[in-house]
Amino acid sequence: MELSKSTRNGIDMPLVGFGTFQLSIDQAEYGVKEALKTGFRHIDSAEAYNNEEGTGKGIKAAGVSRDDIFVTTKLFPGSKQFGIPEKNFKQTIETLKNQLKQLQLDYVDLYLIHAPLSELRLEQWEAFVELKKLGFTKHIGVSNYNRERIKEILDADLAKPEANQVEFHPICAQVDLTRYLKENSIAPIAYSSLAPLSTWRVEEGQGGDVLAEIKEECQLVTNEIATKLKVSEARLLLRWGLQHGYGVLTKSSKPERIRENLNLFDFEIPEKDMERLNQLDQNQAIAWAANSVNPMEAPPLK
């Protein structure tokens, strides 16, 4: 599969984005500014990251034209399970307005429901449709939604999500969901692409050590293929996502790593090696495991 840096999917989104999860406000400001100066044109944020003020400052400081940047952010829907109040239609509208103030933007390019954790998620989706009509977001989508949760939206006769951001890496390959998204022209976006690596979320409290024992085979295979192709393991896993048709997100506070992870277009993983990585699938989510939850297993609406 040939990919180029200019390739876009159905929502005109740059294939490689810079994520801001687990960055402080100051780190988000620095990282976003450096990412944009390096050449990133997709920034991924969220209400729940509590750093959108820094992300907005970083966008401003980079001096890149707003028209050239694709900004994604997310609504945290609330959750009875977590004891967080669920947002209704009006609160959903107000949340994005407040996020735009923090981001110092007039609109975002893509607004996502962070996870199907709220029993008000259909009401929230109706608000998303309205936010798009009002011009506060160009595109609307979901995150951590499986086929059944997407079908809830379609069965309610509401507008189809334009994107779905999910955990995606060789240990959690989402085979059936990936096929479903392709069949329904819903753009897939990967997060936690580097979860199989021993270097993922290593700082105290980040949860990278959870389920470490299931990663060993993947780490061996990833290292072997990366060494053969003379690329870093991070670049290999990000490229694996690209070759599966996903947009991918990368995050770092180190300028050299930021530059390296954008450069995913000067090599290709051979078919045999893609298959070796594909065979590592355990259908095992890792990203939220430290919280003892898998958001994609949210129960259906009553």
Side-chain angles (χ1 to χ4, degrees):
M1 175 195 295
E2 282 301 314
L3 294 168
S4 72
K5 196 175 291 189
S6 62
T7 301
R8 299 290 188 268
N9 60 19
I11 55 174
D12 199 31
M13 181 190 73
L15 281 172
V16 185
F18 182 81
T20 57
F21 179 55
Q22 291 183 328
L23 297 181
S24 68
I25 290 174
D26 289 343
Q27 287 173 329
E29 178 179 355
Y30 175 79
V32 167
K33 180 181 72 174
E34 288 299 313
L36 289 171
K37 286 187 172 182
T38 296
F40 278 88
R41 290 297 178 263
H42 179 189
I43 303 298
D44 181 87
S45 185
E47 177 191 7
Y49 300 169
N50 295 313
N51 59 14
E52 291 192 301
E53 179 187 347
T55 297
K57 288 179 178 177
I59 291 171
K60 200 95 168 175
V64 177
S65 169
R66 174 65 184 97
D67 292 342
D68 293 334
I69 306 173
F70 189 102
V71 179
T72 296
T73 195
K74 310 174 196 76
L75 169 92
F76 192 79
S79 165
K80 288 181 180 177
Q81 180 183 356
F82 293 136
I84 301 171
E86 299 174 297
K87 296 183 174 78
N88 61 25
F89 183 98
K90 184 178 179 182
Q91 290 166 330
T92 299
I93 299 285
E94 291 304 312
T95 297
L96 180 53
K97 289 181 179 179
N98 289 332
Q99 288 175 275
L100 290 173
K101 287 178 185 175
Q102 291 187 57
L103 291 165
Q104 302 182 57
L105 299 174
D106 296 324
Y107 68 92
V108 291
D109 297 273
L110 177 61
Y111 199 38
L112 307 175
I113 295 180
H114 207 141
L117 300 175
S118 170
E119 293 176 8
L120 301 180
R121 54 184 177 262
L122 287 182
E123 183 174 338
Q124 293 165 357
W125 187 250
E126 289 174 341
F128 269 48
V129 174
E130 182 65 17
L131 284 164
K132 183 177 178 180
K133 287 179 185 174
L134 292 170
F136 292 120
T137 180
K138 288 188 173 182
H139 305 282
I140 54 176
V142 294
S143 181
N144 297 300
Y145 272 54
N146 60 21
R147 181 199 299 240
E148 288 74 25
R149 300 294 76 79
I150 292 173
K151 199 167 180 297
E152 285 176 350
I153 294 173
L154 303 183
D155 287 348
D157 232 7
L158 296 173
K160 183 176 69 175
E162 296 173 81
N164 188 17
Q165 186 181 120
V166 297
E167 181 175 349
F168 184 74
H169 49 74
I171 297 174
C172 186
Q174 312 268 18
V175 176
D176 291 338
L177 179 61
T178 299
R179 186 183 304 116
Y180 177 78
L181 296 177
K182 184 176 181 181
E183 288 170 353
N184 286 275
S185 300
I186 298 171
I189 306 165
Y191 73 77
S192 292
S193 295
L194 308 187
L197 302 182
S198 61
T199 52
W200 179 75
R201 296 188 186 175
V202 292
E203 293 181 27
E204 188 175 349
Q206 289 188 339
D209 55 337
V210 178
L211 297 175
E213 68 282 354
I214 73 165
K215 302 179 184 181
E216 293 175 4
E217 183 185 2
C218 186
Q219 288 169 358
L220 288 170
V221 174
T222 299
N223 178 265
E224 183 184 326
I225 296 173
T227 300
K228 182 179 72 173
L229 297 180
K230 298 179 181 176
V231 298
S232 70
E233 294 172 23
R235 288 178 69 205
L236 180 78
L237 290 177
L238 291 166
R239 178 73 197 193
W240 178 84
L242 287 178
Q243 288 184 211
H244 274 289
Y246 274 69
V248 295
L249 303 171
T250 175
K251 180 198 77 176
S252 180
S253 55
K254 299 175 181 177
E256 66 277 8
R257 194 69 56 77
I258 292 173
R259 285 192 296 271
E260 180 182 282
N261 288 346
L262 178 62
N263 187 20
L264 303 177
F265 301 94
D266 60 354
F267 74 101
E268 185 171 358
I269 304 171
E271 193 173 327
K272 284 185 179 179
D273 292 323
M274 282 293 291
E275 189 52 38
R276 286 188 69 194
L277 291 166
N278 294 345
Q279 288 173 358
L280 297 167
D281 183 30
Q282 301 177 45
N283 198 30
Q284 176 64 61
I286 296 172
W288 292 57
N291 298 317
S292 301
V293 66
N294 180 355
M296 297 194 71
E297 294 177 350
L301 294 170
K302 295 175 182 176

